[in-house]
Amino acid sequence: MAEGGGKTSVSNYEMNGNSFRNTMHSLNYGNVMESAARDYMKETKQEEASLGNTGPVQYDLEDLEDDPELHAIHKERIQAMKEEREKRKVMESKGHGTYNDVNEEEFLPEVTGAFQVCCHFYHQEFERCRIVDKHMGILAKKYFDTKFIKVHAPDAPFFVQKLNVQVLPCILFFRNGVAYDRIVGFEELGARDDFPTAKLEKMLLEGGIVSLPERGEDDSEDEEEVMRKETAKRITYGFTKYSDDEDSDFD
């Protein structure tokens, strides 16, 4: 019994020892795996944060002073502005941007000398013609590319007959010297004297005699202002840089 009991005691001890070592091994292995998992998740989050970084790196404006592409854009824009100003001066000298009264002798050169002309045949004694004049004067300033003129119908009988003007006020649309559409009387304007300028403007837009001005830089801005805006655009759109771009293979 003693020997048997001793053997049993030794055997249990050995088994318990093996069990203990196995348990500790399992615990250590688990700790290692848990630590590795934490490290992996940490690295993954860092990588995701890096890839997901959409915030632009701040640039000192001095870094852009010698950028050749920016200067090329600036030079091109300044040249375009100068050409546009010269074109505008020429058009202003021909009456664009104003609403002018022309006589019968001037009428033909006026309508053939511009791409688009909006002409009001009127009578100086008609109240509704004066109402149209008010709105035409406003629109002439807004739609610079189209020339706005008016002709006193009694003083231009040849063109009144030639263009079949029978009711006043009558607004004719000319393109390349050819009359292609018209607004007669007030019926199309709502048959009321207090119609808003927007009503007439809408009809001119629908008739294609005017078009909305393109949104662009202010004609009055100087070269320094253009450079400032171009630089701002380059920072915002052209030079946006991310933290992981510095080691890019495509630089």
Side-chain angles (χ1 to χ4, degrees):
M1 294 291 296
E3 289 182 358
K7 289 181 179 178
T8 299
S9 177
V10 171
S11 178
N12 288 339
Y13 175 79
E14 290 175 350
M15 291 178 64
N16 290 337
N18 290 332
S19 176
F20 177 77
R21 285 193 296 273
N22 290 336
T23 300
M24 292 301 296
H25 178 72
S26 296
L27 290 173
N28 289 335
Y29 180 77
N31 290 337
V32 170
M33 291 301 295
E34 183 179 354
S35 177
R38 285 199 302 267
D39 291 342
Y40 174 78
M41 291 180 67
K42 182 179 179 181
E43 291 176 1
T44 300
K45 288 181 179 179
Q46 289 177 344
E47 182 177 356
E48 288 176 350
S50 177
L51 293 175
N53 178 20
T54 57
V57 175
Q58 297 295 322
Y59 281 86
D60 189 334
L61 292 181
E62 294 182 357
D63 294 339
L64 301 177
E65 287 183 353
D66 298 325
D67 177 59
E69 186 175 354
L70 177 60
H71 280 280
I73 293 173
H74 172 239
K75 184 178 180 180
E76 181 180 345
R77 176 63 182 135
I78 293 300
Q79 182 60 32
M81 285 177 59
K82 289 179 179 178
E83 292 176 358
E84 183 63 27
R85 285 172 180 167
E86 289 300 319
K87 176 183 175 182
R88 190 177 182 90
K89 286 180 181 179
V90 173
M91 294 177 73
E92 283 179 345
S93 68
K94 294 182 178 181
H96 287 258
T98 58
Y99 180 47
N100 297 316
D101 199 336
V102 301
N103 60 37
E104 190 171 51
E105 290 72 25
E106 297 168 329
F107 176 75
L108 196 58
E110 287 288 330
V111 298
T112 58
F115 175 56
Q116 295 193 145
V117 178
C118 187
C119 177
H120 172 211
F121 278 84
Y122 74 100
H123 193 293
Q124 63 184 2
E125 300 296 331
F126 292 2
E127 178 62 26
R128 285 193 165 181
C129 288
R130 286 193 283 269
I131 293 172
V132 169
D133 280 344
K134 179 188 70 173
H135 298 299
M136 291 279 280
I138 294 171
L139 296 173
K141 296 176 182 178
K142 181 174 182 179
Y143 295 98
F144 184 83
D145 288 343
T146 297
K147 181 185 287 188
F148 285 76
I149 63 173
K150 61 179 180 176
V151 178
H152 190 227
D155 296 335
F158 175 80
F159 290 108
V160 166
Q161 181 180 2
K162 189 75 173 176
L163 296 168
N164 195 29
V165 176
Q166 297 180 359
V167 177
L168 301 176
C170 181
I171 303 173
L172 276 77
F173 303 168
F174 290 88
R175 182 174 292 137
N176 289 323
V178 177
Y180 71 89
D181 203 354
R182 67 182 63 196
I183 300 173
V184 180
F186 269 30
E187 292 301 318
E188 296 177 78
L189 294 167
R192 49 188 296 179
D193 292 355
D194 61 346
F195 69 88
T197 303
K199 179 67 176 179
L200 177 58
E201 180 179 15
K202 182 174 183 291
M203 295 192 68
L204 298 188
L205 286 167
E206 291 175 346
I209 193 63
V210 298
S211 56
L212 291 173
E214 294 183 5
R215 299 184 66 179
E217 306 290 352
D218 193 310
D219 290 330
S220 64
E221 66 187 359
D222 56 17
E223 295 187 11
E224 183 178 348
E225 179 68 8
V226 172
M227 188 65 170
R228 185 189 66 77
K229 289 185 177 181
E230 292 293 350
T231 301
K233 287 180 182 179
R234 295 287 287 169
I235 293 174
T236 305
Y237 302 110
F239 281 98
T240 301
K241 187 175 181 181
Y242 306 99
S243 58
D244 58 348
D245 284 349
E246 294 181 353
D247 298 326
S248 171
D249 294 332
F250 299 98
D251 288 345

